[in-house]
Amino acid sequence: MAFVEPVTLKARGIALVPLALAHEEGLRAAAADGELWQLRVTSVPEPQNTRAYVETALTTADRFAFAVTDEATGTVLGTTSFHDILAGVKRVEIGYTWYAARCQRTHVNTTCKLLMLTHAFDALGCNTVGWRTDNFNFASQRAIERLGATKDGVIRGHAMRRDGTIRDTVMYSLRAGEWPEVKAQLLYLLDKPRG
């Protein structure tokens, strides 16, 4: 039995469903909303590479990918994954996350993180959840820090960007003992009126 088993997670009108080839067209449309593949510091696929992106997500041994969908309509809003899954130390990372431009700076990301963190800590019994991001992806760094994660450090010369440059990777983590306070903060953020 795998540490991370297929599961559907739902809250606040958002459903995280196991990614499948059937989500290809929806992901292509989500990426087109904002031409997200143009962003230098993300892994959003170009339209013609969407199928390969999904196939890679489905065949990577230490990754479990979700399609982020509107629960009422089934419309694909983006994707996110548990990855670098280490069952022996009960650690997962959350990443490969991106959303259609219309969903950015809405409740979608906060809801997804609440669902994934709840599953990781409360269902899987994780000790640690981590994140990693490009050193120039300042929006991602701010979003991770807003979650209450701790910046662990920077791995220099860690990965290749699609444009051929080599990036430094900023690493973050959240420990199980910090989860109750972070959960309370996420619920507060989701429940407060939006201006």
Side-chain angles (χ1 to χ4, degrees):
M1 183 166 107
F3 180 55
V4 178
E5 294 284 339
V7 64
T8 296
L9 308 171
K10 297 179 184 180
R12 299 172 188 262
I14 301 299
L16 300 182
V17 299
L19 185 67
L21 287 174
H23 295 114
E24 177 187 354
E25 287 300 318
L27 284 177
R28 185 177 291 126
D33 181 359
E35 296 186 356
L36 302 176
W37 61 88
Q38 303 280 6
L39 300 173
R40 180 172 174 260
V41 294
T42 67
S43 62
V44 180
E46 298 88 347
Q48 68 274 15
N49 295 329
T50 304
R51 184 174 186 88
Y53 180 90
V54 174
E55 289 172 344
T56 298
L58 295 176
T59 58
T60 301
D62 63 347
R63 181 173 174 192
F64 183 81
F66 293 96
V68 178
T69 65
D70 179 294
E71 186 178 3
T73 66
T75 302
V76 177
L77 307 174
T79 185
T80 190
S81 295
F82 286 125
H83 66 93
D84 286 77
I85 298 165
L86 301 172
V89 295
K90 294 190 174 184
R91 177 188 168 97
V92 297
E93 292 188 31
I94 295 174
Y96 298 96
T97 302
W98 53 269
Y99 309 105
R102 71 183 181 281
C103 299
Q104 296 171 13
R105 289 178 282 295
T106 70
H107 78 290
V108 172
N109 186 52
T110 306
T111 300
C112 288
K113 294 307 181 286
L114 178 63
L115 286 167
M116 294 180 81
L117 288 167
T118 299
H119 188 68
F121 287 120
D122 298 348
L124 300 177
C126 285
N127 294 314
T128 308
V129 173
W131 293 264
R132 59 180 75 185
T133 190
D134 189 293
N135 62 306
F136 285 115
N137 193 340
F138 303 115
S140 178
Q141 290 173 49
R142 284 190 302 271
I144 294 167
E145 290 167 8
R146 271 194 309 270
L147 293 171
T150 297
K151 183 176 179 178
D152 296 322
V154 178
I155 304 174
R156 296 171 53 89
H158 182 245
M160 186 81 67
R161 293 186 188 99
R162 103 173 81 222
D163 67 3
T165 59
I166 298 173
R167 82 174 203 186
D168 294 346
T169 298
V170 185
M171 301 292 293
Y172 292 88
S173 66
L174 182 68
R175 302 290 307 250
E178 300 162 332
W179 168 232
E181 180 62 23
V182 167
K183 183 176 185 177
Q185 178 65 11
L186 291 175
L187 290 168
Y188 165 79
L189 291 172
L190 284 167
D191 290 336
K192 78 176 187 175
R194 293 185 178 262

